[in-house]
Coordinates of all heavy atoms in Angstrom, one line a residue:
P818 N 0.8 -1.2 0.0 CA 0.0 0.0 0.0 C 0.8 1.3 0.0 O 2.0 1.2 0.4 CB -0.8 -0.1 1.3 CG 0.0 -1.0 2.2 CD 0.7 -1.9 1.2
P819 N 0.3 2.3 -0.4 CA 1.1 3.6 -0.4 C 1.6 3.8 1.1 O 0.9 3.6 2.0 CB 0.0 4.6 -0.7 CG -1.0 3.8 -1.6 CD -1.0 2.6 -0.9
T820 N 2.8 4.4 1.2 CA 3.4 4.5 2.5 C 3.5 6.0 2.9 O 3.8 6.3 4.0 CB 4.8 3.9 2.6 OG1 5.6 4.6 1.5 CG2 4.8 2.4 2.4
K821 N 3.2 6.8 1.9 CA 3.2 8.3 2.3 C 1.8 8.9 2.1 O 1.0 8.2 1.6 CB 4.2 8.9 1.4 CG 5.6 8.4 1.6 CD 6.6 9.2 0.8 CE 8.0 8.8 1.1 NZ 9.0 9.6 0.8
Y822 N 1.7 10.1 2.6 CA 0.4 10.8 2.5 C -0.1 10.8 1.1 O 0.6 11.2 0.2 CB 0.6 12.3 3.0 CG -0.7 13.0 2.9 CD1 -1.8 12.8 3.6 CD2 -0.8 14.0 1.9 CE1 -3.0 13.6 3.5 CE2 -1.9 14.8 1.7 CZ -3.0 14.6 2.6 OH -4.1 15.4 2.3
Q823 N -1.4 10.5 1.0 CA -2.1 10.6 -0.4 C -3.3 11.4 -0.2 O -4.1 11.3 0.6 CB -2.6 9.1 -0.7 CG -1.6 8.1 -0.9 CD -0.6 8.3 -2.1 OE1 -1.0 8.1 -3.2 NE2 0.5 8.9 -1.8
S824 N -3.3 12.5 -1.1 CA -4.3 13.5 -0.9 C -5.5 13.2 -1.8 O -6.6 13.8 -1.6 CB -3.7 14.9 -1.4 OG -3.1 14.8 -2.6
A825 N -5.5 12.3 -2.7 CA -6.7 12.0 -3.5 C -6.6 10.5 -3.9 O -5.6 9.9 -4.1 CB -6.6 12.8 -4.7
V826 N -7.8 9.9 -4.0 CA -8.0 8.5 -4.5 C -9.3 8.7 -5.3 O -10.2 9.3 -5.0 CB -8.1 7.5 -3.5 CG1 -9.1 7.7 -2.5 CG2 -8.0 6.2 -4.1
T827 N -9.3 8.0 -6.5 CA -10.5 8.0 -7.4 C -10.6 6.6 -8.1 O -9.6 5.9 -8.1 CB -10.5 9.1 -8.4 OG1 -11.8 9.2 -9.1 CG2 -9.4 8.9 -9.4
S828 N -11.8 6.3 -8.5 CA -12.0 5.0 -9.3 C -12.2 5.4 -10.7 O -12.7 6.5 -11.1 CB -13.2 4.3 -8.7 OG -14.3 5.0 -9.0
V829 N -11.6 4.4 -11.6 CA -11.7 4.7 -13.0 C -12.4 3.4 -13.6 O -12.0 2.4 -13.3 CB -10.3 4.8 -13.7 CG1 -10.4 5.0 -15.1 CG2 -9.6 6.0 -13.0
R830 N -13.5 3.6 -14.3 CA -14.2 2.6 -14.9 C -13.6 2.3 -16.3 O -13.6 3.2 -17.2 CB -15.7 2.8 -15.0 CG -16.4 1.6 -15.7 CD -17.8 1.6 -15.2 NE -17.9 1.1 -14.0 CZ -19.0 0.6 -13.4 NH1 -20.1 0.6 -14.1 NH2 -18.9 0.1 -12.1
I831 N -13.1 1.1 -16.5 CA -12.4 0.8 -17.8 C -13.1 -0.5 -18.5 O -13.7 -1.4 -17.7 CB -11.0 0.5 -17.7 CG1 -10.6 -0.6 -16.7 CG2 -10.2 1.8 -17.3 CD1 -9.2 -1.1 -16.6
A832 N -13.2 -0.6 -19.8 CA -13.8 -1.6 -20.5 C -12.9 -2.8 -20.6 O -11.7 -2.6 -20.6 CB -14.2 -1.2 -21.9
G833 N -13.5 -4.0 -20.5 CA -12.7 -5.2 -20.7 C -12.4 -5.5 -22.1 O -12.6 -4.6 -22.9
D834 N -11.8 -6.7 -22.3 CA -11.3 -7.0 -23.7 C -12.4 -6.9 -24.8 O -12.1 -6.5 -25.9 CB -10.8 -8.5 -23.7 CG -9.6 -8.6 -22.8 OD1 -8.9 -7.6 -22.7 OD2 -9.3 -9.7 -22.5
L835 N -13.6 -7.2 -24.5 CA -14.6 -7.2 -25.6 C -15.4 -5.9 -25.5 O -16.4 -5.7 -26.3 CB -15.6 -8.4 -25.4 CG -15.0 -9.8 -25.5 CD1 -15.9 -10.9 -25.2 CD2 -14.2 -10.0 -26.8
G836 N -15.1 -5.0 -24.6 CA -15.8 -3.7 -24.4 C -17.2 -3.8 -23.9 O -18.0 -2.9 -23.7
T837 N -17.5 -5.0 -23.4 CA -18.8 -5.3 -22.8 C -18.7 -5.4 -21.2 O -19.8 -5.0 -20.5 CB -19.6 -6.5 -23.3 OG1 -18.7 -7.6 -23.1 CG2 -19.8 -6.3 -24.9
E838 N -17.7 -5.8 -20.7 CA -17.5 -5.9 -19.3 C -16.7 -4.7 -18.8 O -15.8 -4.4 -19.5 CB -16.8 -7.3 -18.9 CG -17.6 -8.5 -19.3 CD -16.8 -9.7 -18.9 OE1 -15.9 -9.7 -18.1 OE2 -17.1 -10.9 -19.6
F839 N -17.0 -4.3 -17.6 CA -16.3 -3.2 -17.1 C -15.7 -3.5 -15.8 O -16.2 -4.4 -15.0 CB -17.3 -2.0 -16.9 CG -17.7 -1.4 -18.2 CD1 -18.8 -1.9 -18.8 CD2 -17.0 -0.4 -18.8 CE1 -19.4 -1.4 -20.0 CE2 -17.5 0.1 -20.1 CZ -18.6 -0.4 -20.6
Q840 N -14.6 -2.8 -15.4 CA -13.9 -3.0 -14.2 C -13.5 -1.7 -13.6 O -13.1 -0.8 -14.3 CB -12.6 -3.9 -14.4 CG -11.8 -4.1 -13.1 CD -10.6 -4.9 -13.3 OE1 -10.4 -5.4 -14.3 NE2 -9.8 -5.0 -12.2
D841 N -13.8 -1.5 -12.2 CA -13.3 -0.3 -11.7 C -11.9 -0.5 -11.0 O -11.6 -1.6 -10.4 CB -14.3 0.0 -10.5 CG -15.6 0.5 -11.0 OD1 -15.7 1.3 -12.1 OD2 -16.7 0.2 -10.4
V842 N -11.0 0.4 -11.3 CA -9.7 0.3 -10.7 C -9.5 1.6 -10.0 O -10.2 2.6 -10.2 CB -8.6 0.2 -11.9 CG1 -8.8 -1.2 -12.6 CG2 -8.6 1.3 -12.8
L843 N -8.5 1.7 -9.1 CA -8.2 2.9 -8.3 C -6.9 3.5 -8.6 O -5.9 2.8 -8.9 CB -8.2 2.3 -6.9 CG -9.5 1.8 -6.2 CD1 -9.3 1.2 -4.9 CD2 -10.6 2.7 -6.3
V844 N -6.9 4.8 -8.5 CA -5.7 5.6 -8.7 C -5.6 6.5 -7.4 O -6.5 7.1 -7.0 CB -5.6 6.5 -9.9 CG1 -4.4 7.3 -10.1 CG2 -5.8 5.6 -11.2
S845 N -4.4 6.5 -6.8 CA -4.2 7.3 -5.6 C -2.9 8.2 -5.8 O -1.9 7.8 -6.4 CB -3.9 6.3 -4.5 OG -3.6 7.1 -3.3
T846 N -2.9 9.4 -5.4 CA -1.8 10.3 -5.5 C -1.6 11.2 -4.3 O -2.6 11.5 -3.5 CB -1.9 11.2 -6.8 OG1 -0.6 11.8 -7.0 CG2 -2.9 12.3 -6.7
G847 N -0.5 11.6 -4.1 CA -0.1 12.6 -3.0 C 1.1 13.4 -3.5 O 1.5 13.2 -4.7
P848 N 1.6 14.3 -2.7 CA 2.6 15.2 -3.1 C 3.9 14.5 -3.6 O 4.6 15.0 -4.4 CB 2.9 16.0 -1.9 CG 1.8 15.9 -1.0 CD 1.1 14.6 -1.3
E849 N 4.1 13.2 -3.2 CA 5.4 12.6 -3.5 C 5.3 11.4 -4.4 O 6.4 10.8 -4.7 CB 6.1 12.2 -2.2 CG 6.4 13.4 -1.4 CD 7.2 13.2 -0.1 OE1 7.8 12.0 0.0 OE2 7.2 14.0 0.8
A850 N 4.1 10.8 -4.7 CA 4.0 9.6 -5.5 C 2.5 9.3 -5.9 O 1.6 9.9 -5.4 CB 4.5 8.4 -4.6
T851 N 2.5 8.4 -6.9 CA 1.2 8.0 -7.5 C 1.2 6.5 -7.5 O 2.2 5.8 -7.9 CB 1.0 8.7 -8.9 OG1 1.1 10.1 -8.8 CG2 -0.3 8.3 -9.4
Y852 N 0.0 5.9 -7.3 CA -0.2 4.5 -7.1 C -1.4 4.0 -8.0 O -2.4 4.8 -8.2 CB -0.3 4.0 -5.8 CG 0.9 4.3 -4.9 CD1 1.1 5.5 -4.2 CD2 1.9 3.4 -4.7 CE1 2.1 5.8 -3.6 CE2 3.0 3.6 -3.9 CZ 3.0 4.9 -3.3 OH 4.2 5.1 -2.6
F853 N -1.5 2.7 -8.2 CA -2.6 2.2 -9.1 C -2.9 0.8 -8.3 O -2.1 0.1 -7.9 CB -2.2 1.9 -10.5 CG -3.0 1.1 -11.4 CD1 -4.1 1.7 -12.0 CD2 -2.9 -0.3 -11.4 CE1 -4.9 1.0 -12.7 CE2 -3.7 -1.1 -12.2 CZ -4.7 -0.4 -12.9
S854 N -4.2 0.6 -8.3 CA -4.7 -0.7 -7.7 C -5.9 -1.3 -8.4 O -6.8 -0.5 -8.8 CB -5.1 -0.5 -6.2 OG -5.6 -1.8 -5.6
Q855 N -6.0 -2.6 -8.6 CA -7.1 -3.3 -9.2 C -8.1 -3.7 -8.1 O -9.2 -4.1 -8.5 CB -6.6 -4.4 -10.1 CG -5.9 -4.0 -11.3 CD -5.5 -5.2 -12.1 OE1 -6.4 -6.0 -12.5 NE2 -4.3 -5.3 -12.5
D856 N -7.6 -3.8 -6.9 CA -8.6 -4.4 -5.8 C -8.6 -3.6 -4.6 O -9.4 -4.0 -3.6 CB -8.2 -5.8 -5.5 CG -6.8 -6.0 -5.0 OD1 -6.1 -5.0 -4.7 OD2 -6.3 -7.1 -4.9
G857 N -7.8 -2.6 -4.4 CA -7.8 -1.8 -3.1 C -6.9 -2.3 -2.1 O -6.7 -1.7 -1.1
L858 N -6.3 -3.6 -2.3 CA -5.5 -4.3 -1.3 C -4.0 -4.2 -1.8 O -3.1 -3.9 -1.0 CB -5.9 -5.7 -1.1 CG -7.4 -5.8 -0.6 CD1 -7.7 -7.3 -0.5 CD2 -7.5 -5.2 0.8
R859 N -3.8 -4.5 -3.0 CA -2.4 -4.4 -3.6 C -2.3 -3.2 -4.5 O -3.0 -3.0 -5.3 CB -2.2 -5.7 -4.4 CG -2.2 -7.0 -3.6 CD -2.0 -8.1 -4.4 NE -3.0 -8.1 -5.6 CZ -4.0 -9.0 -5.7 NH1 -4.1 -9.9 -4.8 NH2 -4.9 -8.9 -6.6
W860 N -1.3 -2.4 -4.1 CA -1.0 -1.2 -4.9 C 0.3 -1.1 -5.6 O 1.3 -1.7 -5.0 CB -1.1 0.1 -3.8 CG -2.4 0.3 -3.3 CD1 -2.9 -0.3 -2.3 CD2 -3.4 1.2 -3.8 NE1 -4.3 0.2 -2.0 CE2 -4.5 1.2 -2.9 CE3 -3.4 2.1 -4.9 CZ2 -5.7 1.9 -3.2 CZ3 -4.5 2.9 -5.0 CH2 -5.6 2.8 -4.2
D861 N 0.3 -0.7 -6.8 CA 1.5 -0.7 -7.6 C 2.0 0.8 -7.7 O 1.2 1.6 -8.0 CB 1.3 -1.2 -9.0 CG 0.9 -2.7 -9.1 OD1 1.6 -3.4 -8.4 OD2 0.0 -3.1 -9.7
H862 N 3.2 1.0 -7.4 CA 3.8 2.3 -7.5 C 4.0 2.6 -9.0 O 4.5 1.9 -9.7 CB 5.2 2.3 -6.9 CG 5.9 3.6 -6.9 ND1 6.9 3.9 -7.7 CD2 5.7 4.7 -6.1 CE1 7.2 5.1 -7.5 NE2 6.6 5.6 -6.5
V863 N 3.4 3.9 -9.4 CA 3.4 4.1 -10.8 C 4.4 5.1 -11.1 O 5.0 5.1 -12.1 CB 1.9 4.7 -11.2 CG1 1.9 5.2 -12.6 CG2 0.9 3.6 -11.1
S864 N 4.6 6.2 -10.2 CA 5.5 7.3 -10.4 C 5.9 8.0 -9.1 O 5.2 8.0 -8.2 CB 4.7 8.2 -11.3 OG 5.5 9.5 -11.6
E865 N 7.1 8.6 -9.3 CA 7.6 9.4 -8.1 C 6.9 10.8 -8.3 O 7.1 11.5 -7.2 CB 9.1 9.5 -8.2 CG 9.8 8.3 -7.8 CD 9.6 7.9 -6.3 OE1 9.4 8.7 -5.5 OE2 9.6 6.7 -6.0
T866 N 6.3 11.1 -9.4 CA 5.6 12.4 -9.5 C 4.4 12.3 -8.8 O 3.6 11.5 -9.0 CB 5.5 12.7 -11.0 OG1 6.7 12.7 -11.7 CG2 4.8 14.1 -11.2
G867 N 4.1 13.3 -7.9 CA 3.0 13.3 -7.1 C 2.0 14.5 -7.6 O 2.5 15.4 -8.2
F868 N 0.8 14.4 -7.2 CA -0.1 15.5 -7.4 C -1.0 15.7 -6.2 O -0.9 15.0 -5.2 CB -1.0 15.1 -8.6 CG -0.2 14.8 -10.0 CD1 0.2 13.6 -10.3 CD2 0.0 15.9 -10.8 CE1 1.0 13.4 -11.4 CE2 0.7 15.7 -11.9 CZ 1.2 14.4 -12.3
H869 N -1.9 16.7 -6.3 CA -2.8 17.0 -5.3 C -4.2 16.6 -5.4 O -4.9 16.4 -4.4 CB -2.7 18.5 -4.9 CG -1.3 19.0 -4.5 ND1 -0.6 18.5 -3.4 CD2 -0.5 19.9 -5.1 CE1 0.5 19.1 -3.3 NE2 0.6 19.9 -4.3
A870 N -4.8 16.5 -6.7 CA -6.1 16.2 -6.9 C -6.2 15.4 -8.2 O -5.4 15.5 -9.1 CB -6.9 17.5 -7.0
L871 N -7.2 14.6 -8.3 CA -7.6 13.7 -9.4 C -8.9 13.9 -9.9 O -9.8 14.2 -9.1 CB -7.4 12.2 -9.0 CG -6.0 11.8 -8.5 CD1 -6.1 10.4 -7.9 CD2 -5.0 11.8 -9.7
A872 N -9.2 13.7 -11.1 CA -10.6 13.7 -11.7 C -10.6 12.6 -12.8 O -9.5 12.3 -13.4 CB -11.0 15.0 -12.3
T873 N -11.7 12.0 -13.1 CA -11.7 11.0 -14.1 C -12.8 11.3 -15.1 O -13.8 11.9 -14.9 CB -12.0 9.6 -13.6 OG1 -13.3 9.6 -12.9 CG2 -10.8 9.2 -12.6
H874 N -12.6 10.8 -16.3 CA -13.7 10.9 -17.3 C -13.4 9.6 -18.3 O -12.3 9.5 -18.9 CB -13.6 12.2 -18.2 CG -14.6 12.2 -19.3 ND1 -16.0 12.3 -19.0 CD2 -14.6 12.0 -20.6 CE1 -16.6 12.4 -20.1 NE2 -15.8 12.2 -21.1
N875 N -14.4 8.8 -18.3 CA -14.2 7.6 -19.0 C -13.0 6.8 -18.5 O -12.9 6.6 -17.3 CB -14.2 7.8 -20.5 CG -15.5 8.3 -21.1 OD1 -16.5 8.0 -20.6 ND2 -15.4 9.1 -22.1
A876 N -12.1 6.4 -19.4 CA -10.9 5.7 -18.9 C -9.7 6.7 -18.6 O -8.5 6.2 -18.5 CB -10.5 4.6 -19.9
Y877 N -9.9 8.0 -18.7 CA -8.8 9.0 -18.5 C -8.9 9.4 -17.0 O -9.8 9.6 -16.4 CB -9.1 10.2 -19.4 CG -8.7 9.9 -20.8 CD1 -9.6 9.7 -21.7 CD2 -7.3 10.0 -21.2 CE1 -9.3 9.5 -23.1 CE2 -6.9 9.9 -22.5 CZ -7.9 9.5 -23.4 OH -7.6 9.3 -24.7
C878 N -7.6 9.6 -16.5 CA -7.5 10.1 -15.2 C -6.7 11.4 -15.3 O -5.6 11.4 -16.0 CB -6.6 9.1 -14.3 SG -6.5 9.7 -12.6
L879 N -7.2 12.4 -14.8 CA -6.5 13.8 -14.9 C -6.0 14.1 -13.5 O -6.7 13.9 -12.5 CB -7.5 14.9 -15.4 CG -8.1 14.6 -16.7 CD1 -9.3 15.6 -16.9 CD2 -7.2 14.5 -17.8
A880 N -4.8 14.7 -13.4 CA -4.2 15.1 -12.1 C -3.7 16.4 -12.2 O -3.1 16.9 -13.2 CB -3.1 14.1 -11.8
V881 N -3.7 17.2 -11.1 CA -3.1 18.5 -11.0 C -2.4 18.6 -9.6 O -2.6 18.0 -8.6 CB -4.2 19.6 -10.9 CG1 -4.9 19.8 -12.3 CG2 -5.2 19.5 -9.9
G882 N -1.3 19.4 -9.7 CA -0.3 19.5 -8.6 C 0.2 20.8 -8.5 O -0.3 21.8 -9.1
S883 N 1.2 21.0 -7.7 CA 1.9 22.3 -7.4 C 2.5 22.8 -8.6 O 2.9 22.1 -9.5 CB 2.8 22.2 -6.2 OG 3.8 21.3 -6.4
D884 N 2.8 24.2 -8.6 CA 3.6 24.8 -9.6 C 2.9 24.7 -11.1 O 3.6 24.6 -11.9 CB 5.0 24.4 -9.6 CG 5.8 24.7 -8.4 OD1 5.5 25.7 -7.7 OD2 6.5 23.9 -8.0
G885 N 1.6 24.5 -11.0 CA 0.9 24.3 -12.3 C 1.1 23.0 -13.0 O 0.7 22.8 -14.2
R886 N 1.7 22.0 -12.2 CA 1.8 20.6 -12.8 C 0.5 20.0 -13.1 O -0.4 20.0 -12.3 CB 2.7 19.8 -11.9 CG 3.0 18.5 -12.5 CD 4.0 17.6 -11.5 NE 3.6 17.5 -10.3 CZ 4.2 18.1 -9.1 NH1 5.1 18.9 -9.3 NH2 3.7 17.9 -8.0
F887 N 0.4 19.3 -14.3 CA -0.7 18.6 -14.5 C -0.4 17.2 -15.3 O 0.7 17.1 -15.9 CB -1.8 19.3 -15.4 CG -1.4 19.7 -16.8 CD1 -1.7 18.8 -17.8 CD2 -0.6 20.8 -17.0 CE1 -1.3 19.1 -19.2 CE2 -0.2 21.1 -18.2 CZ -0.6 20.2 -19.3
G888 N -1.2 16.3 -15.2 CA -0.9 15.0 -16.0 C -2.3 14.4 -16.4 O -3.3 14.6 -15.9
R889 N -2.0 13.5 -17.4 CA -3.3 12.9 -18.0 C -2.8 11.4 -18.3 O -1.8 11.2 -18.9 CB -3.8 13.5 -19.2 CG -5.0 12.8 -19.9 CD -5.5 13.5 -21.1 NE -4.5 13.3 -22.1 CZ -4.8 13.4 -23.4 NH1 -5.8 13.9 -23.8 NH2 -3.8 13.2 -24.3
A890 N -3.6 10.4 -17.9 CA -3.3 9.0 -18.2 C -4.5 8.3 -18.7 O -5.6 8.5 -18.3 CB -2.7 8.3 -17.0
L891 N -4.4 7.5 -19.7 CA -5.4 6.6 -20.2 C -5.2 5.3 -19.5 O -4.1 4.6 -19.6 CB -5.3 6.4 -21.7 CG -6.3 5.5 -22.3 CD1 -7.7 5.8 -22.0 CD2 -6.0 5.3 -23.8
I892 N -6.1 4.8 -18.7 CA -6.0 3.6 -17.8 C -6.5 2.5 -18.7 O -7.7 2.5 -19.2 CB -6.8 3.8 -16.6 CG1 -6.4 5.1 -15.8 CG2 -6.5 2.6 -15.7 CD1 -5.0 5.2 -15.4
S893 N -5.6 1.4 -18.8 CA -6.1 0.2 -19.4 C -5.3 -0.9 -18.7 O -4.3 -0.7 -18.1 CB -5.8 0.2 -20.9 OG -4.4 0.2 -21.2
L894 N -5.9 -2.2 -18.9 CA -5.3 -3.3 -18.3 C -4.7 -4.2 -19.4 O -5.3 -4.4 -20.4 CB -6.4 -4.1 -17.4 CG -6.9 -3.4 -16.3 CD1 -7.9 -4.3 -15.5 CD2 -5.8 -3.0 -15.2
Q895 N -3.6 -4.7 -19.2 CA -3.0 -5.7 -20.1 C -3.5 -7.1 -19.8 O -3.5 -7.5 -18.6 CB -1.5 -5.7 -20.1 CG -0.9 -4.5 -20.9 CD 0.6 -4.7 -21.0 OE1 1.3 -5.0 -20.0 NE2 1.2 -4.5 -22.1
T896 N -3.8 -7.9 -20.7 CA -4.2 -9.3 -20.4 C -3.2 -10.2 -21.1 O -2.7 -9.8 -22.2 CB -5.6 -9.6 -20.8 OG1 -5.8 -9.3 -22.3 CG2 -6.6 -8.8 -20.0
N897 N -2.9 -11.3 -20.5 CA -1.9 -12.2 -21.1 C -2.6 -13.3 -21.8 O -3.7 -13.8 -21.4 CB -0.9 -12.7 -20.0 CG -0.1 -11.6 -19.5 OD1 0.1 -10.6 -20.3 ND2 0.3 -11.7 -18.3

């Protein structure tokens, strides 16, 4: 799990392989790091870049931080 302060967490609804099934995943961020989770229990460290707030639209996650920093990510899952 994230070990440092996280100022925002949001869910992102993404389509499955066939576009008919959907899954909610979580994105969490704070001033020092950003994380991703498929189940809320196991978190993957995504970046050392941190933000203060998150917003989502479809499979996009938007983030804003200090000094005018912003980021945008398209969330998808790889299947093997």
